Amino acid sequence: MGPNATVTGPGRQRTAGSNGTDGDPTAAWSEYLAAARQLDGVRRGAAAAAGEQARSAEAAREELTLVRTGLASQQERLRELGVPAISLVPSPPELSEAARSMGGGPAAVLATLRTARGWAEGADAALAARRRFRPGSWPARARNLLVYGPLALLVPLIQVVVYAATGTGAASVAALICGLPMPAVAFVVAWLAIGRVFRPGPGERLDRTVRFGGLVCLVPAVLVTAGLLLALLAG
């Protein structure tokens, strides 16, 4: 046996310098605590990462719902504008690119969906800007006035022109008499024209603003008829 060997039992011996912590319980306890703290840090990090992934996945599901709703509304409006349905479906290269961009986990999927929602909102703004210049998107009265107005003014203008050209003659009297039923004719023609020019969308009802249209067709005729009648009587 060596000089540093100690006998611990029959056939067993332990060298005093074989392990620095065997003779120091405090050092062994400190190493145990350090290992426990390290494992607890790893556990907490894994739990935080899992929680972050769960929150990202939940946010991605909510974002996906918003994107789908916005895209469905856009597709409906674009179909109304005459865009072919095939143009509204993503192509295989676009699908492959989208799949690659979402391969980094829930956080990457959430970032991609937020980017897609930004594009969809930009497209909505562009569509809204274009619709402002389309009479079909105007309020019902302003839109229908484009039809009622010209038809309501047509016959009174003809009567004024005939009177200016012929004076208080038979032609002016004939134009005045023929113009009496013209407001009703103008209203009926405008009512039919509005249905042809401004077609309602699916499930919508076209507002022809009947009372407003009748007033628009009647007022110019009444004013011009009264003015011509006074002019004829004075002449």
Side-chain angles (χ1 to χ4, degrees):
M1 293 184 181
N4 295 328
T6 58
V7 177
T8 59
R12 299 170 60 192
Q13 66 181 16
R14 179 166 58 89
T15 302
S18 62
N19 189 346
T21 61
D22 289 346
D24 190 356
T26 304
W29 180 250
S30 298
E31 291 183 2
Y32 170 76
L33 290 179
R37 284 194 295 268
Q38 184 177 5
L39 290 175
D40 185 63
V42 172
R43 180 188 65 80
R44 289 175 182 272
E52 184 64 27
Q53 284 193 349
R55 288 189 293 272
S56 297
E58 181 64 24
R61 282 192 288 268
E62 294 176 358
E63 197 74 24
L64 180 60
T65 301
L66 294 175
V67 171
R68 282 178 172 173
T69 303
L71 290 179
S73 176
Q74 282 186 5
Q75 286 181 348
E76 182 178 354
R77 291 198 298 270
L78 290 172
R79 289 194 186 99
E80 292 176 0
L81 295 174
V83 177
I86 190 64
S87 300
L88 303 176
V89 179
S91 62
E94 291 172 337
L95 292 174
S96 300
E97 181 63 26
R100 282 196 300 270
S101 65
M102 290 188 287
V109 173
L110 178 60
T112 302
L113 288 172
R114 284 175 175 170
T115 301
R117 184 157 68 97
W119 291 344
E121 291 175 352
D124 280 336
L127 286 175
R130 290 191 61 184
R131 287 174 65 87
R132 283 196 294 268
F133 298 100
R134 296 178 63 247
S137 62
W138 294 1
R141 288 189 175 185
R143 176 198 66 201
N144 295 341
L145 185 61
L146 296 177
V147 180
Y148 285 123
L151 292 174
L153 294 174
L154 179 61
V155 173
L157 286 177
I158 294 175
Q159 290 174 331
V160 170
V161 170
V162 171
Y163 176 80
T166 62
T168 58
S172 297
V173 175
L176 182 63
I177 295 174
C178 293
L180 293 178
M182 286 297 106
V185 175
F187 174 79
V188 172
V189 173
W191 191 90
L192 295 174
I194 288 173
R196 294 296 185 91
V197 176
F198 308 116
R199 295 185 180 277
E204 295 181 356
R205 180 178 176 273
L206 182 62
D207 185 7
R208 288 183 168 88
T209 58
V210 175
R211 293 181 179 178
F212 175 74
L215 189 64
V216 170
C217 293
L218 185 62
V219 169
V222 171
L223 294 177
V224 172
T225 299
L228 291 177
L229 184 59
L230 291 176
L232 291 175
L233 293 176

